[in-house]
């Protein structure tokens, strides 16, 4: 009895706080219940963390406070089975929205429920990932932001920084759909431009070191797409390739911050914020089908000065004045 009283008091207090907290705050379509959002992230690596942090920051800026929204954040340690159970739990909890960071999380979220809208973030190729058939007209309860990247521009950059590189090692996880899409484009580009490629694929982070070693002495440079497995092993890649004086071109800025030589890519802080603006619309009732995928097309050249120095590469003036140089 005492316990029941306690519970009731707590419930009443909760209700009172909730009512009070909605005054002057952003609210959901009904405006009367606390929103529950599940965030599922493939794994923790710098770029995915940046996306999540800037997403949360922008949600705050849009007026969502702890009183009117709960974010249940879970990460899958790179394992599909973890992602599936996280998303099944979210579905069981009847979340108002699932925010899924990176391709495999989005696939797990989409498979977990037909009712709960899935807002994906940083999915390189949502069509290849089978999240929808047409990015302009989402038809499967998932929409979001995409980080499709310009393959030709990064190879043109390589032509300026390391003009003698004629053979590229392709380092990626062969089970990441996001990487395969980019790698297919890379192969087409290279064959059209007389660049040789040697593939070194991995299936998890523990294989990355060996894959890099297999390329040393056989290639002039390495290219790695927006690959989560390689991104999370970037410190190892950097150590091995600096020693071997092998330039590494990447799909993402964080991989350059972690020691890759250069990239032409998007800003993931911007992407996280854009994802939050889409979340706001979905939470206010806009149907998924009316929200096309938003693809970022503002690309920046990013070059790592420490790596350039370690490899004895001089950054040409035309680049040092326009590129973002990181240490
Ligand atoms: N685009 C990746 C995907 O579709 C996720 C991603 C975002 C990523 N930023 C990255 C991967 C940086 C590697 C490095 O899953």
């Amino acid at each position: 009895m005492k316990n029941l009283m306690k519970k009731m008091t707590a419930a009443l207090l909760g209700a009172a706080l909730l009512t009070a907290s909605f005054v002057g705050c952003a609210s959901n379509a009904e405006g009367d219940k606390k929103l529950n959002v599940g965030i599922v992230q493939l794994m923790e690596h710098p770029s995915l963390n940046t996306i999540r942090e800037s997403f949360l920051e922008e949600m705050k800026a849009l007026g969502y406070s702890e009183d009117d929204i709960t974010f249940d954040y879970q990460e899958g340690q790179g394992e599909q089975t973890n992602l599936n159970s996280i998303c099944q739990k979210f579905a069981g909890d009847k979340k108002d929205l699932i925010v899924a960071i990176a391709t495999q999380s989005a696939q797990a979220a989409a498979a977990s429920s037909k009712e709960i809208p899935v807002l994906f973030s940083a999915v390189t190729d949502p069509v290849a990932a089978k999240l929808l058939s047409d990015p302009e007209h989402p038809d499967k309860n998932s929409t979001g932001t995409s980080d499709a990247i310009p393959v030709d521009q990064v190879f043109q950059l390589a032509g300026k920084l390391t003009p003698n590189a004629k053979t590229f090692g392709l380092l990626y996880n062969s089970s990441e759909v996001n990487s395969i899409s980019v790698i297919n484009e890379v192969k087409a580009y290279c064959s059209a431009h007389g660049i040789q490629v040697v593939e070194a694929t991995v299936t998890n982070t523990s294989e990355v070191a060996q894959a890099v070693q297999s390329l040393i002495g056989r290639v002039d440079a390495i290219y790695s797409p927006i690959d989560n497995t390689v991104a999370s092993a970037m410190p190892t890649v950097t150590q091995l390739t600096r020693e071997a004086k092998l330039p590494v071109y990447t799909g993402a800025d964080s991989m350059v911050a972690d020691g890759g030589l250069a990239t032409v890519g998007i800003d993931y802080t911007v992407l996280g914020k854009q994802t939050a603006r889409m979340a706001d619309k979905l939470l206010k009732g806009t149907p998924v089908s009316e929200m096309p995928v938003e693809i970022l097309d503002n690309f920046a050249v990013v070059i790592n000065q420490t790596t350039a120095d370690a490899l004895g590469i001089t950054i040409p003036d035309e680049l040092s004045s326009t590129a973002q140089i990181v240490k």
Side-chain angles (χ1 to χ4, degrees):
M1 184 63 190
K2 226 178 170 184
N3 271 342
L4 185 67
M5 284 294 286
K6 252 193 203 161
K7 265 191 202 153
M8 282 179 62
T9 320
L12 280 173
L13 203 66
L17 281 175
L18 212 61
T19 325
S21 70
F22 266 105
V23 181
C25 288
S27 66
N28 58 328
E30 299 110 65
D32 58 358
K33 78 174 185 26
K34 189 163 177 174
L35 292 165
N36 245 303
V37 173
I39 303 180
V40 56
Q41 184 173 310
L42 171 63
M43 57 169 75
E44 300 226 318
H45 70 63
S47 190
L48 302 187
N49 293 345
T50 298
I51 295 167
R52 187 185 76 252
E53 284 154 14
S54 55
F55 169 83
L56 290 171
E57 217 169 89
E58 185 69 6
M59 288 302 283
K60 216 183 248 177
L62 287 165
Y64 292 87
S65 79
E66 277 172 28
D67 295 327
D68 36 49
I69 195 161
T70 305
F71 294 103
D72 182 354
Y73 166 59
Q74 305 289 333
E75 65 104 2
Q77 297 186 314
E79 296 287 341
Q80 195 67 49
T81 47
N82 294 346
L83 297 169
N84 292 344
S85 35
I86 292 167
C87 292
Q88 276 152 17
K89 171 86 170 44
F90 283 171
D93 291 349
K94 299 208 173 358
K95 301 286 189 205
D96 296 292
L97 175 70
I98 301 179
V99 177
I101 304 176
T103 299
Q104 281 164 274
S105 338
Q107 290 172 319
S112 72
S113 157
K114 294 239 173 338
E115 285 82 44
I116 304 174
V118 174
L119 174 62
F120 55 76
S121 190
V123 169
T124 305
D125 188 342
V127 175
K130 299 198 165 62
L131 294 167
L132 35 78
S133 335
D134 175 0
E136 282 301 312
H137 305 283
D139 52 353
K140 289 186 185 164
N141 217 25
S142 304
T143 189
T145 53
S146 170
D147 57 352
I149 51 160
V151 158
D152 50 345
Q153 291 182 37
V154 75
F155 279 89
Q156 282 153 16
L157 175 67
K160 290 179 190 155
L161 279 173
T162 49
N164 296 326
K166 298 285 178 247
T167 304
F168 276 74
L170 307 181
L171 176 66
Y172 64 101
N173 182 335
S174 47
S175 59
E176 286 196 33
V177 183
N178 41 297
S179 297
I180 294 166
S181 286
V182 178
I183 288 293
N184 286 339
E185 275 183 61
V186 165
K187 286 180 184 164
Y189 181 92
C190 288
S191 88
H193 291 82
I195 299 169
Q196 303 297 315
V197 298
V198 177
E199 294 197 63
T201 57
V202 298
T203 58
N204 61 55
T205 27
S206 69
E207 294 172 9
V208 173
Q210 215 197 332
V212 172
Q213 271 150 353
S214 79
L215 293 171
I216 294 172
R218 291 168 66 209
V219 299
D220 308 314
I222 290 178
Y223 175 78
S224 185
I226 350 181
D227 188 280
N228 293 288
T229 312
V230 177
S232 67
M234 237 2 239
T236 309
V237 175
T238 298
Q239 198 200 336
L240 293 170
T241 52
R242 277 188 188 162
E243 270 167 31
K245 303 236 178 294
L246 204 51
V248 180
Y249 293 94
T250 72
D253 53 2
S254 67
M255 297 164 87
V256 173
D258 280 346
L261 176 63
T263 188
V264 182
I266 66 156
D267 182 333
Y268 285 90
T269 308
V270 174
L271 183 107
K273 293 193 171 166
Q274 200 157 328
T275 309
R277 288 190 288 273
M278 291 184 81
D280 182 38
K281 282 192 199 151
L282 287 169
L283 291 170
K284 287 184 173 143
T286 308
V288 166
S289 59
E290 285 173 25
M291 294 181 52
V293 173
E294 299 187 9
I295 303 169
L296 266 75
D297 53 8
N298 212 336
F299 304 118
V301 174
V302 187
I303 304 172
N304 187 310
Q305 183 74 59
T306 312
T307 302
D309 292 346
L311 305 185
I313 292 167
T314 315
I315 304 171
D317 285 346
E318 71 163 306
L319 286 175
S320 56
S321 54
T322 53
Q324 206 179 306
I325 310 286
V326 298
K327 296 263 176 234

